[in-house]
Amino acid sequence: MQGQESSPNNQNNSDQQSLDLQNADIDAVYTELNTSPAGLTKNEASARLQKYGPNAIQEKEQSALAKFLRFFWGPIPWMIEAAALLSALIGHWPDFAIIMALLLYNAIAGFWQEHKAANALAALKASMAPKANVLRDGEYQSIDAAMVVPGDIVRIKLGQVVPADVRFTEGKSISIDQAALTGESLPVSKSIGDIGYSSSIAKRGEMTAVVIGTGHNTFFGRTAQLVAGAGQNASHSQKAVTHIGDFLIVLCLVLAVILVGTELYRDIVVAEIWHWSDIINILRTVLVLLIASIPVAMPSVITVTNALGALALSRKKAIVSRLESIEELAGVDILCSDKTGTLTKNQLCLEEPTLFSAKKNDQLILAAAIASEAGASDPIDQAIFAGLKNKEELKKYKVDEFTPFDPVSKRTEVKVQNQDGQTLYFSKGAPQAIVDLCNLSGAKADKASACVQQQASRGLRSLGVAQKANGSPWQFLGILSLEDPPRDDSKDTIQRAREHGLQVKMITGDDVAIGKEIATQVGIGTNIFAASSVFTKSQDMDHLPSTIVDTVERADGFGRVFPEHKYAIVKALQGRGHQVAMTGDGVNDAPALKQADCGIAVSGATDAARAAAAIILTSPGLSTIVDAIDEARKIFERIINYVLFRVSMTLDIMVVVVFATIMFGFSPLTPVMIVLVALLDDIPIMTIAYDNTLLPKEPVHWQMRDLLLGSSIIGLFSIAQTMGILFIGMEWLNNTNWQSWIALNKEQIQTIVFLQIVAGGHLLLFVVRSRTAFFSKPLPAFPLFIAIVGTQAFTVLMCGFGWLVPAIPWTIIGLVWLYMIIWMFFLDLVKKLLYRRLSDI
């Protein structure tokens, strides 16, 4: 049986016409469009082009400058910009230069990654037919497809792309491959009155058609509009960084108010002295606080970690086009998988046939092969030739006349001569058509009908085969069954996905019976719905009622889906709090791919699907996706470890700066020291992208409440650690016995605090990166360990020799390190108690 006719649930040109041009009589279509089989004149076409616009996908373009400037907007950029402005106001130009360099680096890195990501609408536009054969002024001429208008008469031949939505009006038949649009796995045979969709491809035959829809008012155009509107929300990663930025801004403002209020009280109320220099001193202190509050390198570290993770994923045959999708993939709990080519081989093969007049299987297959077109691209013909054991048998038959598949008769027919000069006829096609051809009745007719129904219930396609000698009646040889079998690894991969905490749903454009059979074989389940039975034609796909969402949640999959259905399924699941990955390969998958938290274009996908997707697979099947999820979860764990460390250290620096300034009357860190802390702590920690981590068994998410609470608790103990060494230092200044041993001044106390924060920060990372004892496995990766050891050696030399900071005695450096190691074991105990309470971190 050849491909079946299918149409989308909605009228695709309602904006242009009031009549349902998809289903109306051809004469009514001519009347509504004010056209005729003679086509349009050039003047009429020009007027319609002005009215309807070009036959192209047009979208609003955002300038590159506007895209670049977006990276300077948001909580963390605001904090960095405020620090830069304050540095300029008080003349701290070295600080200004360093802060601006970090700001520009974050913006450039983000813009470059976004620039590299493919533009889905551009790919959709590129797949439009470049030329069209149009009847203008009584003559066919080749014009740009963008110039085609409603009412045009077009001629479509083998290999050409359908330039717009059309209704076929003249010709015998044409076979159209619309798989990329509707998801059907076989070409669809069209006859007079049938609809052809823009951007589908003619695989066989030639017909004339009238254009009923162009541009956005086509099935293809509506898909492009869904793509344009899909995926507009910020990613979970972006939301998480915004939450962290908001948290730090609020804390910074509270501490700034406390600090400024205290300083003004001292100067005005207590000292009763006011000078403009006091404002400069207050601004300088606020600058220190502001710089301390900014996790300046957080966007860069996350970008670098994701970039290196993307490199690792590429080795697993998964190409990342949108970096934040790595974190999205780590949290995916529902995977919506296409069927054809993803769960199946996308290659029809013959199953066990049912014999009638044929004596053996080979005789039946040979007859079907004779009734097929040699060298054809039709997948049914290819499956028949592949199933023929001895292809030399075909050479015994000379073809006199071949009639291709006719959608009216629903069969092919061939007239041949055998080696004995005998004239024979063979035919294959829809079983019922072959039954009628052979005038089958009684028990044989009942047997054929039962066989077809049984195969249909299993999702198999049936093909009747018959033959006759010249002057003899047709003989019903038997029924061939064809199946697109599951990939060898699909069942195991589905099981692995479930072990990873993923629910897999199958989404296919094929019939429910076919989908149910494949879903059963690979272990997905049997709860497969027809999309048309769940979603109504007038349904608002962005606002589905709860009853439909409930059905979507409990379903194992859907059959006969269209682009708006796939998009709605993803949207509904996201509305219930699920993180959804969607696989696909066609134009029809592009809206859902872009809307999904992680769109995955499978191997062999169209340009539109690859452009809409965040991850592109270069090897077939789902196994690559599960491997990519493993890698993504490890990457996510590394980022979480970094965020815990970074927020804790930021809290440490902010609070210590404020309370030390209030208690002791001077800042424990200079602006230069704070910038150096950011550089020395964060630059080597970019090697966290290589760190060893345990593989989470379940999807991992940004648990912001637990993350901020956990980092705040660890931050409080880090504050206690830093304030402790500061109290010891201030006591040293006031203790003559200690000063007689080693004399220290306030500037050297600042260096001690600087050393403790830089070294203590890296030791804290070793603590938080492990969920058990910091010295247990998995141990730090060699690149991370070497980077931290090298940084600490450099910091010790800085403090010992006075590079950029006041020098302190080597003995003091040793005592500071002893102090930090003792605290490291204490912080590890705090962390283990915390993880018992906050197991979701």
Side-chain angles (χ1 to χ4, degrees):
M1 182 172 64
Q2 305 293 90
Q4 297 296 310
E5 176 65 39
S6 137
S7 62
N9 290 336
N10 304 16
Q11 275 185 239
N12 65 2
N13 65 314
S14 57
D15 294 339
Q16 290 184 349
Q17 310 295 338
S18 58
L19 183 69
D20 182 0
L21 298 181
Q22 288 190 25
N23 301 305
D25 292 336
I26 295 298
D27 289 339
V29 172
Y30 283 138
T31 302
E32 178 71 16
L33 295 174
N34 193 23
T35 188
S36 72
L40 305 174
T41 66
K42 289 183 180 179
N43 290 335
E44 287 173 334
S46 179
R48 296 187 185 201
L49 188 63
Q50 293 294 321
K51 178 180 179 180
Y52 297 119
N55 179 34
I57 305 302
Q58 297 173 312
E59 71 281 354
K60 294 181 180 179
E61 283 285 348
Q62 188 178 31
S63 68
L65 178 61
K67 292 178 181 178
F68 180 67
L69 292 178
R70 283 194 295 106
F71 291 94
F72 295 90
W73 189 261
I76 291 180
W78 293 338
M79 296 167 75
I80 299 175
E81 289 154 11
L85 178 61
L86 199 53
S87 298
L89 287 175
I90 64 176
H92 275 227
W93 299 113
D95 299 342
F96 175 82
I98 294 173
I99 293 168
M100 287 302 298
L102 288 169
L103 179 65
L104 287 171
Y105 174 79
N106 289 337
I108 291 170
F111 175 77
W112 175 247
Q113 291 300 330
E114 185 178 274
H115 175 73
K116 288 199 303 180
N119 187 305
L121 289 177
L124 284 169
K125 182 188 289 185
S127 64
M128 291 284 281
K131 295 289 181 181
N133 292 322
V134 179
L135 184 59
R136 297 270 176 89
D137 291 328
E139 293 182 357
Y140 276 100
Q141 49 192 281
S142 179
I143 66 171
D144 289 338
M147 307 303 290
V148 171
V149 296
D152 262 329
I153 302 299
V154 296
R155 180 179 291 163
I156 302 166
K157 302 179 181 180
L158 171 66
Q160 291 184 336
V161 178
V162 179
D165 277 9
V166 300
R167 290 284 297 279
F168 292 103
T169 58
E170 294 180 25
K172 190 172 182 180
S173 70
I174 192 169
S175 181
I176 299 290
D177 180 0
Q178 54 191 40
L181 292 168
T182 64
E184 296 158 296
S185 56
L186 290 176
V188 179
S189 294
K190 308 284 187 178
S191 56
I192 292 175
D194 289 338
I195 188 171
Y197 298 128
S198 171
S199 293
S200 55
I201 303 169
K203 288 293 187 181
R204 177 187 289 166
E206 175 182 339
M207 290 191 74
T208 301
V210 58
V211 174
I212 63 171
T214 59
H216 282 298
N217 297 303
T218 63
F219 182 49
F220 178 86
R222 189 172 69 252
T223 300
Q225 287 180 312
L226 283 175
V227 172
Q232 297 296 323
N233 296 329
S235 68
H236 292 87
S237 174
Q238 292 167 331
K239 292 177 182 177
V241 173
T242 299
H243 274 300
I244 294 168
D246 291 342
F247 172 73
L248 295 177
I249 284 177
V250 170
L251 184 58
C252 177
L253 290 175
V254 170
L255 292 174
V257 168
I258 294 173
L259 180 62
V260 172
T262 303
E263 291 297 303
L264 290 177
Y265 176 80
R266 283 177 176 171
D267 290 341
I268 297 176
V269 178
V270 178
E272 297 183 350
I273 300 173
W274 178 256
H275 297 290
W276 284 109
S277 59
D278 295 330
I279 294 181
I280 299 299
N281 290 331
I282 291 174
L283 288 177
R284 185 177 291 112
T285 307
V286 171
L287 172 62
V288 173
L289 174 62
L290 190 56
I291 296 175
S293 68
I294 305 171
V296 285
M298 181 178 288
S300 300
V301 171
I302 291 177
T303 297
V304 170
T305 303
N306 279 329
L308 291 174
L311 181 62
L313 286 177
S314 69
R315 299 189 188 104
K316 296 182 179 291
K317 308 300 182 181
I319 308 302
V320 178
S321 64
R322 187 165 55 88
L323 283 184
E324 60 266 25
S325 65
I326 293 175
E327 293 158 68
E328 304 292 345
L329 186 61
V332 164
D333 61 321
I334 292 182
L335 173 61
C336 295
S337 173
D338 191 24
K339 176 187 74 69
T340 306
T342 304
L343 294 172
T344 67
K345 296 179 179 180
N346 194 22
Q347 182 180 350
L348 288 179
C349 65
L350 296 177
E351 296 295 310
E352 187 66 25
T354 302
L355 302 181
F356 281 72
S357 297
K359 301 301 180 183
K360 54 184 179 179
N361 293 351
D362 291 347
Q363 180 188 351
L364 179 62
I365 297 171
L366 175 61
I370 295 171
S372 302
E373 186 176 4
S377 59
D378 187 276
I380 290 179
D381 288 355
Q382 289 178 345
I384 291 170
F385 285 121
L388 186 61
K389 294 180 179 178
N390 185 5
K391 295 178 175 55
E392 294 297 319
E393 289 289 322
L394 288 173
K395 296 180 181 179
K396 297 179 181 179
Y397 299 87
K398 179 184 177 182
V399 177
D400 290 337
E401 184 180 340
F402 180 80
T403 303
F405 182 85
D406 182 354
V408 176
S409 67
K410 297 188 181 300
R411 64 186 181 88
T412 67
E413 185 175 321
V414 63
K415 176 183 177 183
V416 300
Q417 287 188 15
N418 63 14
Q419 287 180 321
D420 299 328
Q422 183 183 13
T423 299
L424 300 174
Y425 294 84
F426 295 87
S427 182
K428 78 174 195 309
Q432 188 56 49
I434 303 299
V435 166
D436 293 341
L437 179 68
C438 299
N439 293 317
L440 223 59
S441 61
K444 287 187 176 181
D446 292 341
K447 178 184 176 183
S449 177
C451 175
V452 171
Q453 290 179 5
Q454 190 271 337
Q455 290 185 0
S457 68
R458 293 179 52 210
L460 302 179
R461 292 178 171 87
S462 300
L463 194 70
V465 185
Q467 80 170 57
K468 74 170 183 173
N470 196 18
S472 301
W474 285 95
Q475 289 182 302
F476 191 81
L477 298 179
I479 298 175
L480 291 176
S481 60
L482 300 102
E483 179 188 25
D484 178 13
R487 291 179 52 80
D488 297 333
D489 61 348
S490 289
K491 187 171 185 178
D492 290 340
T493 302
I494 297 297
Q495 181 60 35
R496 282 183 60 205
R498 286 188 170 150
E499 291 170 357
H500 281 67
L502 267 71
Q503 180 185 356
V504 181
K505 296 179 184 290
M506 186 182 69
I507 314 294
T508 178
D510 278 327
D511 287 323
V512 172
I514 297 173
K516 187 174 291 186
E517 176 67 16
I518 296 299
T520 302
Q521 290 183 39
V522 301
I524 288 178
T526 58
N527 196 22
I528 309 296
F529 293 90
S532 58
S533 68
V534 177
F535 306 98
T536 62
K537 291 183 178 180
S538 58
Q539 189 74 58
D540 181 358
M541 299 302 177
D542 285 310
H543 303 91
L544 296 172
S546 60
T547 53
I548 292 181
V549 179
D550 290 340
T551 301
V552 172
E553 245 189 328
R554 72 171 184 270
D556 294 320
F558 294 88
R560 278 296 180 200
V561 296
F562 288 97
E564 57 267 32
H565 298 145
K566 297 184 179 186
Y567 171 85
I569 290 167
V570 171
K571 191 95 171 178
L573 293 171
Q574 289 174 325
R576 287 288 172 88
H578 296 288
Q579 273 186 235
V580 184
M582 172 76 192
T583 73
D585 61 354
V587 175
N588 62 318
D589 298 316
L593 288 173
K594 192 176 179 188
Q595 176 61 36
D597 297 289
C598 187
I600 303 169
V602 298
S603 177
T606 62
D607 288 344
R610 288 196 297 268
I615 293 178
I616 302 162
L617 303 185
T618 58
S619 64
L622 282 182
S623 59
T624 304
I625 297 176
V626 180
D627 290 339
I629 287 174
D630 285 348
E631 191 65 35
R633 290 181 183 178
K634 291 179 182 178
I635 293 166
F636 187 87
E637 284 293 289
R638 293 166 189 148
I639 291 175
I640 289 294
N641 291 339
Y642 168 75
V643 171
L644 275 169
F645 148 77
R646 184 67 272 167
V647 173
S648 300
M649 288 305 302
T650 301
L651 292 176
D652 182 11
I653 298 171
M654 289 170 64
V655 174
V656 167
V657 164
V658 170
F659 282 94
T661 302
I662 292 173
M663 296 173 64
F664 302 119
F666 84 107
S667 174
L669 295 169
T670 65
V672 171
M673 285 180 176
I674 292 179
V675 172
L676 288 173
V677 166
L679 295 175
L680 292 171
D681 265 351
D682 281 326
I683 289 179
I685 286 181
M686 287 183 183
T687 55
I688 199 172
Y690 299 101
D691 196 19
N692 300 317
T693 59
L694 292 173
L695 175 61
K697 295 182 180 179
E698 298 291 327
V700 286
H701 306 279
W702 287 97
Q703 302 286 351
M704 293 310 302
R705 182 189 68 83
D706 289 346
L707 183 63
L708 292 178
L709 178 60
S711 56
S712 297
I713 292 172
I714 294 174
L716 285 174
F717 284 95
S718 297
I719 291 166
Q721 178 187 11
T722 305
M723 290 298 292
I725 204 165
L726 184 59
F727 274 115
I728 293 172
M730 297 307 294
E731 178 65 24
W732 198 299
L733 284 178
N734 299 321
N735 191 310
T736 55
N737 292 328
W738 292 2
Q739 283 282 9
S740 63
W741 178 43
I742 297 177
L744 295 175
N745 55 40
K746 285 186 177 182
E747 287 74 19
Q748 289 175 312
I749 299 298
Q750 288 178 321
T751 301
I752 291 172
V753 174
F754 168 75
L755 173 63
Q756 185 275 320
I757 287 178
V758 172
H762 281 169
L763 295 181
L764 179 62
L765 178 63
F766 285 144
V767 168
V768 299
R769 63 169 295 280
S770 173
R771 298 298 183 261
T772 55
F774 69 84
F775 47 80
S776 61
K777 292 183 178 181
L779 298 174
F782 185 73
L784 176 65
F785 183 77
I786 289 300
I788 289 178
V789 169
T791 301
Q792 293 310 314
F794 179 73
T795 304
V796 166
L797 294 175
M798 282 179 62
C799 298
F801 291 107
W803 301 338
L804 301 175
V805 296
I808 56 175
W810 295 100
T811 303
I812 296 296
I813 291 175
L815 291 173
V816 170
W817 264 95
L818 178 62
Y819 174 85
M820 289 185 299
I821 290 172
I822 294 171
W823 264 95
M824 185 180 185
F825 282 90
F826 180 71
L827 287 173
D828 196 53
L829 176 62
V830 171
K831 173 209 66 180
K832 286 188 285 187
L833 294 174
L834 179 64
Y835 282 160
R836 289 179 186 174
R837 299 288 182 134
L838 304 176
S839 59
D840 289 334
I841 291 184

